[in-house]
């Protein structure tokens, strides 16, 4: 089969002498969605992206075999990926004093990967300080969506109305009914694969063809059904039936997106450039400027409203200004908080949009680590099956604190897992030497099954980021200082994850090979959220229900920073649905002259 590749429309010239309808900062899931929604409504949009535009297909080389790479995918000499122990023994900035020329966050595995060296930020150029935190940043067109894990889940009213349910924190100013039509729009525009389950705590999407569960996953599903728990095929932000988008193909089921190079060179898996930005460029309404790091939202001294953005060119280090009627911040949760805090003026002395003092606070994410590996004994020695030709394994949905109340913690967690025969055999417990070892691997590999938990970290005011008074990045922009750690609720939840994982594998009849109780470093989930939360009260929240600043009506913050709590579901689909809703409102209000 031949894939016809289309080039994106030629880039428009950047004209910094004009006033755009909107300037969008950041081109990941949030910024890409803002660009798509606004340009499709005829608005002239300037998109500023701090990173460069790279040829992602040749960068990721999705289909490259390990032996086709001179170092089997490892990063070049002189590069280093921070390891688990370093994150915990040392304190940020992790790259300070490192003998390595380039230092990257942990993503890519095995001590550094060649495939992400131009995608992740170099920690040497981009330091942060404070408490330990594994902060993963991708700086390029499309941000982290170029390498994301594709699990695309909805939130429910158990999340939006968490306080009503258990008394903790704040409710969101919206309910599921408000966002449901926008989840539908995202599903239809981008494509999502999955299986309907009719669960009130994990609403179904408008699914395209689901991936098949393997034999052991079916076994787990059947066994858990008797405990009223659900194992469902991975809900993947992947189009399996195709979407109307000439830059993307439907999934061929090669499983490449789950291997070390990652990514999907036919873009069946959603990424912001092919899914959102190139189609937005085709409207003729989008102007893109890469290598442009915003460091201040500029304010009209007379009105206090936003008038544009000041940015530094990452290559020539010169500073420029972009003017717009509306400023949309979508730089990712922590970078957006940083930008708001950096934007101090007479009218906004604590940073723009920060009269509540909540910018940077209520920072939350997911706790990870506890998990399990097991073996379906009846599959040992069976002929191999093609199990990795799919963009994900399974998802075991939340079951805690729904109808019943757990005595030790509030909120919930889910598990992501996989199993079966794959191109790279699984198995942590295969012994032997030489030919015997190979035989053991062949005999056992299809029988392994494993899963790991993702749990809600409670939003707490005391977990926050602020500007470091002394440390700056390579471009002279003040860095973030972290004050963040897991609390008792998270640790008790992690303990429960380990116990229930064991209980469920035993119930399914799996032999337990390994139980992991180690909690991974704060930040490991790469799901940071909540630093400019929405709410009805301007004293305790930063944004209203349309992600519009309470203080500055032509300023919107449309990424994960708007979340009120983290839930335990992965956030990207919700970020995009909320952003679509906010941009519809924005376009309407701009048209009415209300901004
Ligand atoms: C390995 C990995 C696996 C993941 N798996 C999943 C998953 O399975 N499911 C899920 O829901 N989520 C997953 N995520 C998280 C997901 O990628 C993010 O939720 C999503 O990308 C957030 O979108 P965003 O637009 O807020 O941020 P990003 O995608 O990070 O985009 C932000 C963009 O803003 C740019 N930027 C930053 N600062 C500035 C500035 N000052 N000026 C201009 N531009 C700026 C950045 O360069 C970047 O391009 C994963 C992430 C990673 C890395
Ligand atoms: S399995 Fe599908 S989404 Fe994943 S790389 Fe292959 S074609 Fe792309």
């Amino acid at each position: 089969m031949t894939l016809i590749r289309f080039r994106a429309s030629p880039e428009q010239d950047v004209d910094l002498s004009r006033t755009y309808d909107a300037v969008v900062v950041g081109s990941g899931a949030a910024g890409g969605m803002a660009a798509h929604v606004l340009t499709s409504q005829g608005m002239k949009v300037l998109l500023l992206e701090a990173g460069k535009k790279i040829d992602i297909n040749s960068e990721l080389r999705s289909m490259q075999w390990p032996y086709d790479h001179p170092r089997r995918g490892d990063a070049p000499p002189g590069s280093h990926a921070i390891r688990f122990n370093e994150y915990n023994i040392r304190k940020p900035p992790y790259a300070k004093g490192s003998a390595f020329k380039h230092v990257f966050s942990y993503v890519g595995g095995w001590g550094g990967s060649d495939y992400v060296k131009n995608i992740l930020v170099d920690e040497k150029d981009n330091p942060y300080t404070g408490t330990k935190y594994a902060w993963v940043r991708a700086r390029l067109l499309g941000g982290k969506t170029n390498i994301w894990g594709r699990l695309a889940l909805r939130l429910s009213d158990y999340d939006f109305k968490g306080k009503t349910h258990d008394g903790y924190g704040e409710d969101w100013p919206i309910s599921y009914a408000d966002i449901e039509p926008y989840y539908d729009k995202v599903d239809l525009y981008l494509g999502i694969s999955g299986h309907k389950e009719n669960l009130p705590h994990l609403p179904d999407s408008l699914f395209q063809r689901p991936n098949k569960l393997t034999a052991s996953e079916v076994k787990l599903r059947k066994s858990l059904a008797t405990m009223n728990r659900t194992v469902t095929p991975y809900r993947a932000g992947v189009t399996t039936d195709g979407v109307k988008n000439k830059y993307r193909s439907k999934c061929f089921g090669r499983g490449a997106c789950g291997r070390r190079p990652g990514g999907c060179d036919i873009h069946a898996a959603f990424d912001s450039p092919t899914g959102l930005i190139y189609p937005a460029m085709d409207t003729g309404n989008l102007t893109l400027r890469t290598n442009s790091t915003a460091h201040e939202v500029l304010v009209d001294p007379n009105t206090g409203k936003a008038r544009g953005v000041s940015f530094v060119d990452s290559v020539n280090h010169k500073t420029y200004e972009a003017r717009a009627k509306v400023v949309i911040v979508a730089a990712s949760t922590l970078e957006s908080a940083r930008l708001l805090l950096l934007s101090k003026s007479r009218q906004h002395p604590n940073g723009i949009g920060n009269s509540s003092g909540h910018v940077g606070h209520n920072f939350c994410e997911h706790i990870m680590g506890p998990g399990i590996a097991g073996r379906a004994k009846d599959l040992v020695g069976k002929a191999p099956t093609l199990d990795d030709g799919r963009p994900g394994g399974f998802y075991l949905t939340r079951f805690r604190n729904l109808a019943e109340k757990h005595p030790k913690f509030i909120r919930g967690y889910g598990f992501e897992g996989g199993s079966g025969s794959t191109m790279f055999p699984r198995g942590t417990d295969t012994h032997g030497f030489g030919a015997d070892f190979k035989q053991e691997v062949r005999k056992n590999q299809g029988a392994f099954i494993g899963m790991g938990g993702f749990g809600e970290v409670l939003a707490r005011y005391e977990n926050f980021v602020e500007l470091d008074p002394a440390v700056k990045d390579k471009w002279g922009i003040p860095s973030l200082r972290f004050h963040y750690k897991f609390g008792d609720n998270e640790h008790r939840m992690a303990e429960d994850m380990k116990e229930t994982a064991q209980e469920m594998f035993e119930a399914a009849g799996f032999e337990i090979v390994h139980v992991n109780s180690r909690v991974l470093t704060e930040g490991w989930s790469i799901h940071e959220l909540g630093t400019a939360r929405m709410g009805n009260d301007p004293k305790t929240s930063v944004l209203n229900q349309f992600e519009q600043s309470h203080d500055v009506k032509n300023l919107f913050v449309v990424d994960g920073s708007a979340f009120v709590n983290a839930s335990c579901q992965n956030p990207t689909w919700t970020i995009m649905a909320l952003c679509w809703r906010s941009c519809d409102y924005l376009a309407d209000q701009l048209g009415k002259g209300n901004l």
Side-chain angles (χ1 to χ4, degrees):
M1 193 179 312
T2 313
L3 174 71
I4 303 167
R5 288 195 192 279
F6 291 91
R7 282 182 169 279
S9 295
E11 289 182 24
Q12 315 240 348
D13 288 340
V14 181
D15 180 0
L16 295 179
S17 67
R18 69 182 281 191
T19 300
Y20 288 89
D21 289 327
V23 59
V24 178
V25 178
S27 68
M33 182 55 81
H36 159 63
V37 176
L38 298 178
T39 56
S40 63
Q41 301 197 28
M43 284 174 61
K44 297 288 181 194
V45 176
L46 173 64
L47 179 58
L48 296 178
E49 165 52 50
K52 47 197 174 302
K53 183 177 175 187
I54 62 178
D55 177 0
I56 196 71
N57 294 336
S58 59
E59 194 66 33
L60 286 174
R61 291 158 274 163
S62 308
M63 297 304 286
Q64 186 171 61
W65 291 78
Y67 44 75
D68 286 333
H69 187 283
R71 296 177 302 279
R72 295 196 162 235
D74 278 353
S79 297
H80 175 67
I82 306 168
R83 292 162 193 266
F84 174 76
N85 284 343
E86 281 178 85
Y87 276 120
N88 295 297
I89 295 165
R90 302 185 49 220
K91 279 187 80 181
Y94 292 111
K96 192 175 175 189
S98 171
F100 292 97
K101 198 162 174 224
H102 303 288
V103 179
F104 300 102
S105 57
Y106 74 88
V107 173
W110 294 289
S113 149
D114 198 37
Y115 304 106
V116 289
K117 65 179 187 300
N118 293 314
I119 292 177
L120 300 178
V121 300
D122 189 334
E123 303 278 329
K124 286 211 145 173
D125 297 339
N126 296 276
Y128 55 96
T129 62
T131 48
K132 65 183 159 79
Y133 195 86
W135 189 16
V136 174
R137 291 159 288 174
R139 227 169 225 216
L140 73 162
L141 187 70
K144 297 193 287 281
T145 66
N146 289 292
I147 49 169
W148 75 308
R150 309 163 301 286
L151 185 59
L153 303 174
R154 293 187 177 199
L155 269 56
S156 77
D157 278 335
Y158 282 97
D159 308 303
F160 295 121
K161 301 298 170 197
K163 182 180 182 184
T164 304
H165 189 61
D166 61 24
Y168 180 82
E170 296 292 340
D171 282 340
W172 296 50
I174 57 167
S175 60
Y176 181 69
D178 295 310
I179 190 176
E180 184 179 18
Y182 289 93
Y183 274 131
D184 290 354
K185 282 173 189 270
V186 176
D187 293 346
L188 292 172
Y189 191 66
L190 298 177
I192 177 170
S193 120
H195 182 265
K196 268 185 183 264
E197 303 288 357
N198 297 313
L199 301 171
H201 51 284
L202 186 70
D204 293 317
S205 285
L206 303 177
F207 292 125
Q208 299 188 356
R209 175 180 56 79
N211 304 295
K212 284 208 170 99
L213 293 176
T214 65
S216 52
E217 289 163 5
V218 170
K219 201 171 179 175
L220 184 63
R221 179 176 162 93
K222 283 190 181 153
S223 149
L224 292 193
T226 63
M227 300 163 86
N228 209 14
R229 297 179 188 175
T230 308
V231 164
T232 193
Y234 203 76
R235 294 185 170 180
V238 166
T239 173
T240 44
D241 294 332
V243 282
K244 274 194 193 150
N245 178 330
K246 65 183 180 186
Y247 304 106
R248 301 180 64 198
S249 155
K250 67 180 168 186
C251 177
F252 294 177
R254 310 158 307 166
C257 45
R259 295 183 198 131
R260 190 177 192 191
C264 173
D265 57 5
I266 60 166
H267 307 284
F270 160 73
D271 57 67
S272 174
T274 59
L276 298 166
I277 295 172
Y278 298 164
M281 284 164 77
D282 290 341
T283 65
N285 293 327
L286 183 68
T287 306
L288 171 66
R289 194 182 197 284
T290 48
N291 290 320
S292 307
T293 306
H295 59 90
E296 188 179 351
V297 177
L298 299 166
V299 169
D300 182 323
N302 299 317
T303 61
K305 280 171 45 176
R307 65 174 177 84
V309 168
S310 176
F311 63 93
V312 59
D313 184 298
S314 12
V315 179
N316 69 18
H317 290 235
K318 285 189 185 157
T319 299
Y320 302 88
E321 280 187 22
R323 289 201 300 266
K325 294 177 192 161
V326 184
V327 172
I328 300 167
V329 177
S332 74
T333 296
L334 294 167
E335 289 290 5
S336 290
R338 183 179 175 203
L339 179 57
L340 298 181
L341 293 170
L342 283 165
S343 305
K344 290 188 180 141
S345 58
R346 184 173 52 77
Q347 292 90 341
H348 308 288
N350 299 323
I352 197 162
N354 194 21
S355 65
S356 64
H358 276 257
V359 171
H361 290 261
N362 314 303
F363 170 19
C364 49
E365 51 140 354
H366 296 147
I367 185 168
M368 285 175 70
I372 194 162
R375 189 163 26 203
K377 280 187 138 177
D378 53 338
L379 294 178
V380 175
K382 291 270 159 64
T385 43
L386 176 61
D387 294 327
D388 68 351
R390 53 184 188 161
F394 66 88
Y395 186 67
L396 197 168
T397 69
R398 171 180 172 181
F399 51 86
R400 285 299 193 218
N401 293 314
L402 296 171
E404 282 154 28
K405 201 168 174 298
H406 195 275
K408 293 192 178 157
F409 61 90
I410 57 169
R411 308 292 162 99
Y413 57 86
F415 288 94
E416 292 179 30
S419 71
S421 304
T422 54
M423 188 164 105
F424 298 101
R426 295 169 208 270
T428 47
D429 184 42
T430 312
H431 304 286
F433 190 75
D436 286 349
F437 176 66
K438 287 184 186 166
Q439 205 184 348
E440 276 299 293
V441 170
R442 286 203 183 93
K443 216 166 76 183
N444 284 289
Q445 58 106 7
F448 281 111
I449 176 163
M451 63 183 191
F454 283 70
E456 174 166 352
V457 174
L458 297 180
R460 283 190 286 273
Y461 184 81
E462 315 79 83
N463 274 341
F464 70 103
V465 286
E466 61 178 351
L467 297 178
D468 189 290
V471 177
K472 294 181 174 162
D473 67 15
K474 183 181 168 188
W475 297 270
I477 306 172
S479 300
L480 282 181
R481 182 159 65 182
F482 284 66
H483 303 265
Y484 182 89
K485 61 176 185 187
F486 295 144
D488 292 344
N489 196 69
E490 286 83 56
H491 285 292
R492 287 195 290 260
M493 184 188 278
E495 187 61 25
D496 191 60
M497 282 177 189
K498 184 192 78 178
E499 285 164 15
T500 58
Q502 213 163 332
E503 162 196 304
M504 291 187 285
F505 267 34
E506 277 165 5
F510 299 146
E511 176 196 357
I512 294 186
V513 174
H514 179 69
V515 179
N516 199 353
S517 55
R518 184 176 75 169
V519 169
L520 291 166
T521 318
E522 284 84 346
W524 211 272
S525 69
I526 328 180
H527 293 162
E528 56 274 5
L529 300 160
T531 53
R533 72 176 177 191
M534 52 163 83
N536 291 324
D537 184 355
K539 290 203 181 66
T540 58
S541 61
V542 178
L543 309 170
N544 69 13
Q545 59 156 309
F546 296 107
E547 303 183 300
Q548 178 183 29
S549 161
H550 287 303
D551 301 341
V552 181
K553 63 183 178 181
N554 67 341
L555 173 69
F556 291 74
V557 187
V558 296
D559 54 28
S561 41
F563 278 43
V564 178
N565 51 42
S567 90
C568 66
Q569 282 95 269
N570 306 40
T572 308
W573 230 243
T574 303
I575 291 174
M576 291 194 287
L578 281 175
C579 175
W580 197 319
R581 181 172 183 268
S582 301
C583 289
D584 266 1
Y585 168 83
L586 182 165
D588 174 61
Q589 292 296 301
L590 188 69
K592 290 178 177 154
N594 291 342
L595 299 181

